[in-house]
Amino acid sequence: MHIPSSTTLEIDVLTFSDALKGSEEKNYNTEKWLYVPDFYSEYRYILGTRGKNPLICIGINPSTAEPDNLDNTLKSVERIALGNGFDSFIMFNVYAQRATSPKDMEKELNPLLHRENMKAFNYVLSLSENKPCIWAAWGTIINERDYLADCVLDMIEIGKGYGAKWFSAGAKSKKGGHPHHPLYLKKDSCLDEFDVVSYCESLRKV
């Protein structure tokens, strides 16, 4: 379980470009894993496997997962990605601060962390040989902080530049139409097209 030791404003946050450069020594297979930063910290930009056709899964914020040490949510993400014909998966998050319980996320958005996270998202989208496929998978957790919906809107705009296609899996919540979280999905769950723009518009009306 990860409980933030402080807000991210109180720590030194690497820019995405600096984090992408990485450290000299890594304790995982870099030919298999994409992990930025490449060490455990209070934030995580990217975690996934390398491939030409990744499924980009979007959660709210990272927990404890690392290369070769996936939590149950990430194990489900990998199963569903492979089961839907993708050769890899990338776990990305609306906000990069690590916190196993979303209730422990910082109350106010850190503009630096968000800006660098969006640079990371732009990079993630560039990895797909074809139009990126994005799986919205954050459940009702998006309601935990007011700034999260605005972060998603920024992601939508970045995705437009790549012709990104958005999907969900499983039943949406009856209240709010939130896309299902991966953890309790059946392993053979299929992806369905997701109108993320209409969804975000409905969020802003609440």
Side-chain angles (χ1 to χ4, degrees):
M1 184 170 182
H2 188 98
I3 300 174
S5 61
S6 66
T7 69
T8 58
L9 286 169
E10 298 172 86
I11 63 173
D12 291 329
V13 173
L14 287 175
T15 65
F16 174 68
S17 61
D18 284 343
L20 187 60
K21 293 175 185 175
S23 55
E24 293 183 2
E25 295 185 6
K26 298 176 176 63
N27 59 359
Y28 59 90
N29 183 354
T30 58
E31 293 184 1
K32 175 183 178 181
W33 293 101
L34 178 64
Y35 184 42
V36 187
D38 59 1
F39 56 89
Y40 194 92
S41 69
E42 291 289 340
Y43 59 98
R44 189 187 76 210
Y45 293 126
I46 303 169
L47 172 60
T49 52
R50 297 183 184 273
K52 297 181 178 180
N53 182 33
L55 176 60
I56 303 164
C57 180
I58 310 296
I60 288 298
N61 69 307
S63 183
T64 60
E66 301 175 276
D68 299 316
N69 186 27
L70 300 182
D71 57 23
N72 288 334
T73 295
L74 271 289
K75 290 176 182 177
S76 180
V77 168
E78 184 172 36
R79 282 195 300 268
I80 291 171
L82 298 178
N84 278 272
F86 296 88
D87 66 358
S88 53
F89 78 94
I90 295 175
M91 188 71 215
F92 192 80
N93 291 279
V94 176
Y95 197 63
Q97 183 191 29
R98 280 192 196 263
T100 299
S101 171
K103 295 184 183 300
D104 290 329
M105 291 174 64
E106 49 201 9
K107 298 288 195 290
E108 301 294 333
L109 176 141
N110 178 346
L112 170 63
L113 185 62
H114 174 60
R115 182 174 66 246
E116 297 306 318
N117 200 41
M118 293 302 98
K119 291 178 183 177
F121 186 56
N122 190 80
Y123 173 80
V124 164
L125 296 182
S126 74
L127 298 177
S128 298
E129 289 195 343
N130 300 308
K131 291 182 178 180
C133 292
I134 305 173
W135 171 17
W138 47 73
T140 59
I141 302 171
I142 196 167
N143 292 325
E144 286 294 334
R145 296 291 182 265
D146 291 339
Y147 56 78
L148 293 171
D150 288 333
C151 294
V152 173
L153 288 173
D154 288 343
M155 295 171 70
I156 292 171
E157 287 304 310
I158 294 170
K160 287 178 181 178
Y162 289 88
K165 297 177 287 186
W166 288 78
F167 298 90
S168 63
K172 301 179 187 67
S173 66
K174 292 182 179 180
K175 184 177 180 181
H178 302 295
H180 205 293
H181 191 278
L183 186 56
Y184 301 111
L185 287 174
K186 296 180 180 179
K187 62 182 180 180
D188 58 351
S189 294
C190 295
L191 299 176
D192 303 305
E193 291 187 12
F194 182 56
D195 188 347
V196 69
V197 174
S198 295
Y199 164 77
C200 283
E201 288 176 350
S202 67
L203 280 183
R204 295 173 72 86
K205 293 176 182 177
V206 174

